[in-house]
Amino acid sequence: AAVAAEDAYTTRRASGANASISSSHSSTTGSSSASCPSSRGSASPNAVIGVPAGISLASGCISGFITATATFPLDVIRRRMQVYGQTHHGQPVSYSEIIRQIMKQQGGLRGFYVGILPEYCKVVPGVAIAFCTYEQMKKWLQAD
């Protein structure tokens, strides 16, 4: 029964509603739609339906935008600490000191997002291309 249910699910994904009728019929008769030449569904149960490239690109853009927005303040703090080294004006550098300095000098939370536009120009297309490439290769290699 589990194999028949999996076969019905895979066939439904591969060829739509018509295949679910033939899969349901074949699961009651004991044959599979792949071995039954007279079944309505023409796709094999192992057929892979991938995500369209446009959807994959859009998902990658959104993901890259959200990721860059969430992690950019941490990058700003890291860069400041790298520039200052272990001490700044003879004082040891700490995370809290860097955060206070950015908030004071740059005008609050906006200071953590100064220079984010070039980050978007780098990250958003890169993540979109990575998402699309992954989905297309998965479809091409039928590794679903």
Side-chain angles (χ1 to χ4, degrees):
V3 173
E6 184 177 319
D7 181 43
Y9 172 74
T10 306
T11 306
R12 189 176 310 118
R13 282 185 57 212
S15 61
N18 289 339
S20 65
I21 295 169
S22 66
S23 298
S24 299
H25 173 70
S26 65
S27 65
T28 57
T29 60
S31 64
S32 71
S33 61
S35 62
C36 181
S38 64
S39 66
R40 289 186 191 173
S42 60
S44 72
N46 296 329
V48 176
I49 295 185
V51 177
I55 299 293
S56 184
L57 283 170
S59 297
C61 286
I62 293 167
S63 174
F65 181 82
I66 291 169
T67 302
T69 303
T71 60
F72 196 73
L74 300 172
D75 286 340
V76 169
I77 294 168
R78 177 187 51 83
R79 276 188 236 114
R80 287 275 176 104
M81 291 187 80
Q82 285 176 334
V83 168
Y84 291 158
Q86 292 184 355
T87 60
H88 181 64
H89 298 298
Q91 301 288 333
V93 179
S94 67
Y95 288 109
S96 60
E97 181 60 34
I98 296 291
I99 292 169
R100 271 186 258 139
Q101 185 181 43
I102 292 170
M103 298 270 294
K104 184 175 131 186
Q105 290 178 352
Q106 304 283 326
L109 292 176
R110 287 184 57 199
F112 291 103
Y113 291 97
V114 171
I116 198 165
L117 188 60
E119 179 80 359
Y120 287 149
C121 292
K122 177 185 86 166
V123 171
V124 171
V127 174
I129 290 168
F131 265 55
C132 188
T133 302
Y134 172 77
E135 289 296 330
Q136 295 304 311
M137 291 301 291
K138 189 169 78 168
K139 185 168 59 172
W140 185 60
L141 296 172
Q142 296 180 350
D144 189 22

